[in-house]
Amino acid sequence: AQSVSQHNHHVILSEAASLELGCNYSYGGTVNLFWYVQYPGQHLQLLLKYFSGDPLVKGIKGFEAEFIKSKFSFNLRKPSVQWSDTAEYFCAVNPVGGQNFVFGPGTRLSVLP
Amino acid sequence: GAGVSQSPSNKVTEKGKDVELRCDPISGHTALYWYRQSLGQGLEFLIYFQGNSAPDKSGLPSDRFSAERTGGSVSTLTIQRTQQEDSAVYLCASSLRRESDYTFGSGTRLTVV
């Protein structure tokens, strides 16, 4: 069965620090990849997605992610985090031709002012 | 509507009672998904509807769980004889097509006492 792992359960950073959240998946075929964000008390929102083309994708709020096919990875990055980035981040994989997304367990990001 | 609407937003029920959770997807979205998010857990896939096709029920945890989607629009998730382990946030999402990104509702927080 497909699975998605996220390297960190909880990440704590100071404002202006750089961020990288790891995501790896287990599926040998073609996949669509997503990062979703859940701010405190809010619903899940799409941060960015990769379907095909340039493996470096840019999303909202200065986030970007790089798809490395050989490593089955789709890590999320931001050069300088803000307090407002405090949230839970979920990586998701949808195998092309598959039925539904498989989500990772989530990484909680706390940014200290 | 403008987004995915779920009701009720909160539900407290006694163990052994039946509950119904409702999801109203974005108009025109053919795919509808139910996920469950437990405290400290990721998103657990429950069931998927695509147009008029038979639903994918592979994620339903027991036969106490069932769901239907009437007229290709509104969906109802029913949990019979609720147990305390059913306590979670139940999320509904819809997408334009099977492999498009999801739009999530705000969820129903179910507490079984």
Side-chain angles (χ1 to χ4, degrees):
Chain A
Q2 299 104 31
S3 67
V4 179
S5 62
Q6 292 183 236
H7 305 168
N8 309 97
H9 178 63
H10 188 192
V11 173
I12 303 173
L13 296 173
S14 299
E15 276 195 313
S18 64
L19 170 72
E20 180 159 2
L21 301 182
C23 172
N24 285 89
Y25 63 93
S26 65
Y27 183 72
T30 304
V31 294
N32 298 324
L33 298 156
F34 307 82
W35 276 96
Y36 279 82
V37 60
Q38 189 171 29
Y39 298 104
Q42 297 189 26
H43 62 276
L44 282 153
Q45 302 170 43
L46 181 68
L47 203 52
L48 48 77
K49 60 187 177 184
Y50 171 80
F51 278 19
S52 63
D54 188 344
L56 185 62
V57 293
K58 296 191 183 299
I60 60 172
K61 304 185 180 184
F63 285 90
E64 63 179 31
E66 184 175 13
F67 171 47
I68 302 179
K69 188 174 182 180
S70 61
K71 294 185 178 181
F72 300 90
S73 70
F74 190 54
N75 292 356
L76 181 71
R77 299 195 292 250
K78 185 171 183 178
S80 176
V81 294
Q82 301 173 314
W83 176 79
S84 59
D85 293 325
T86 295
E88 189 143 18
Y89 293 80
F90 293 91
C91 180
V93 173
N94 185 12
V96 173
Q99 297 277 64
N100 58 274
F101 288 19
V102 178
F103 284 84
T107 296
R108 186 154 65 99
L109 173 65
S110 299
V111 180
L112 306 177
Chain B
V4 177
S5 177
Q6 290 188 246
S7 62
S9 55
N10 279 286
K11 176 72 177 178
V12 180
T13 189
E14 292 181 352
K15 179 181 172 181
K17 301 278 191 183
D18 298 351
V19 294
E20 282 190 354
L21 313 180
R22 177 188 166 102
C23 173
D24 198 346
I26 292 175
S27 177
H29 279 195
T30 62
L32 186 148
Y33 308 80
W34 283 97
Y35 281 78
R36 178 167 72 175
Q37 186 177 22
S38 304
L39 189 64
Q41 304 291 319
L43 279 74
E44 176 189 5
F45 166 72
L46 297 177
I47 189 169
Y48 157 65
F49 295 90
Q50 173 63 54
N52 295 320
S53 303
D56 175 2
K57 304 179 182 180
S58 60
L60 294 178
S62 78
D63 58 8
R64 296 186 295 106
F65 288 71
S66 63
E68 62 177 23
R69 187 179 185 191
T70 53
S73 181
V74 172
S75 177
T76 302
L77 177 69
T78 301
I79 309 173
Q80 295 178 309
R81 305 181 302 282
T82 51
Q83 304 294 314
Q84 287 187 327
E85 60 263 27
D86 300 334
S87 296
V89 176
Y90 289 81
L91 295 169
C92 177
S94 69
S95 65
L96 193 59
R97 292 178 300 278
R98 185 177 62 192
E99 291 165 358
S100 303
D101 52 273
Y102 293 3
T103 300
F104 280 90
S106 298
T108 294
R109 181 176 298 278
L110 175 66
T111 304
V112 181
V113 297

